[in-house]
Amino acid sequence: MRDPSLRRSLALFRAFRHEQDDPEACYSLLARDAADQIEAYDGPVRGRTVVDVGGGGGYFTEEFRRRGAHGHLFEPDVRELGPAPPPGSVVADGYLLPLADGVADVCFSSNVLEHVADPQTFLSELVRVTRPGGLIYVSFTNWLSPWGGHEWAPWHYLGAERARARYRRRTGRPAKHTLGENLFAVHIGPTLRQVRARDDVLVVSARSRYWPFLAQAVARTPGLREFATWNLLLILRRCP
């Protein structure tokens, strides 16, 4: 699917609607889309080392391997790995990956940054394990996005505790995410300023991951981007 396009955005939105009841279809589609994005910026992943940090059940790693990459999954939460993670998966903290400097041709992290208390340390670790000239793919759901509250969105606009209480009343079970524990209010403006201030990466692209048109223009517009970007995608190049 052409990226960006309305057709692609609608297909991803339909898949997200069934994330809970059909995660295989949802995340397989998202994995194909993410791999297509990486190859659009950096060429085929075949024969290259791709490190997937925080990839949960391994859908992204499996897609990279299907395309001929040496894909490796590092996930801090053993519960997120599920019953059948990719062979060789490692339970590891994204703040301190058990990898030498510069081993990855591509370092990949999808929708993890909003779940870490110290995003800058997390980003520094992704940069460290990427070789000079290598690509770093980072996406995250910003707090003021309509999906910023995750399973209790968009009611997070009325306050996190109120949104969590509503979720429990509606579903009969506690919400998976708690603000300040495993979900954090990450904003686009401060994140872009911090990344652009670094001297070890070049920002190749900063754009909406899912927006159907003008994906880069939306992310460049202060104020509007905090609500309309939906999910920020950063494509970074490791400096020599």
Side-chain angles (χ1 to χ4, degrees):
M1 295 179 290
R2 185 172 174 272
D3 173 23
S5 71
L6 183 59
R7 177 172 174 265
R8 168 182 171 269
S9 294
L10 286 173
L12 290 169
F13 179 70
R14 291 190 192 103
F16 284 135
R17 289 182 62 193
H18 297 283
E19 177 191 7
Q20 297 297 317
D21 56 89
D22 192 2
E24 179 74 30
C26 174
Y27 285 106
S28 293
L29 176 61
L30 189 58
R32 292 193 299 272
D33 186 77
D36 286 344
Q37 288 179 319
I38 288 174
E39 293 191 330
Y41 284 102
D42 208 40
V45 297
R46 177 172 295 278
R48 303 165 83 184
T49 298
V50 181
V51 171
D52 177 6
V53 183
Y59 296 100
F60 298 103
T61 297
E62 293 285 16
E63 179 62 23
F64 295 136
R65 291 180 180 181
R66 190 184 69 77
R67 298 185 185 213
H70 305 294
H72 305 278
L73 172 61
F74 295 85
E75 167 59 50
D77 190 344
V78 67
R79 296 168 297 182
E80 292 292 334
L81 288 171
S89 299
V90 178
V91 178
D93 194 324
Y95 290 137
L96 190 62
L97 294 168
L99 293 169
D101 295 355
V103 297
D105 296 301
V106 177
C107 196
F108 176 86
S109 176
S110 173
N111 295 339
V112 178
L113 201 66
E114 70 267 33
H115 299 294
V116 298
D118 186 352
Q120 292 311 303
T121 297
F122 181 82
L123 284 170
S124 293
E125 188 67 351
L126 302 187
V127 173
R128 181 188 69 79
V129 302
T130 306
R131 66 168 175 80
L135 196 78
I136 302 157
Y137 177 113
V138 179
S139 80
F140 68 92
T141 303
N142 51 297
W143 175 244
L144 292 178
S145 157
W147 292 275
H150 286 49
E151 74 272 22
W152 26 275
W155 304 100
H156 63 295
Y157 289 132
L158 302 179
E161 289 308 311
R162 181 178 296 180
R164 279 174 47 83
R166 181 188 181 277
Y167 179 87
R168 180 156 196 160
R169 288 195 306 270
R170 186 171 61 86
T171 65
R173 62 179 183 272
K176 177 181 178 181
H177 296 100
T178 301
L179 189 66
E181 293 183 10
N182 58 359
L183 180 65
F184 298 88
V186 183
H187 302 286
I188 292 175
T191 301
L192 288 177
R193 288 191 289 273
Q194 290 164 350
V195 170
R196 287 170 176 156
R198 301 181 67 107
D199 60 5
D200 51 4
V201 293
L202 172 69
V203 180
V204 177
S205 182
R207 50 161 292 190
S208 170
R209 185 178 183 181
Y210 307 125
W211 192 255
F213 49 84
L214 299 176
Q216 295 195 63
V218 171
R220 285 198 296 264
T221 308
L224 175 66
R225 63 190 174 196
E226 300 296 343
F227 298 91
T229 300
W230 298 354
N231 186 287
L232 184 70
L233 170 60
L234 290 171
I235 301 291
L236 311 174
R237 183 76 65 184
R238 176 75 157 92
C239 295

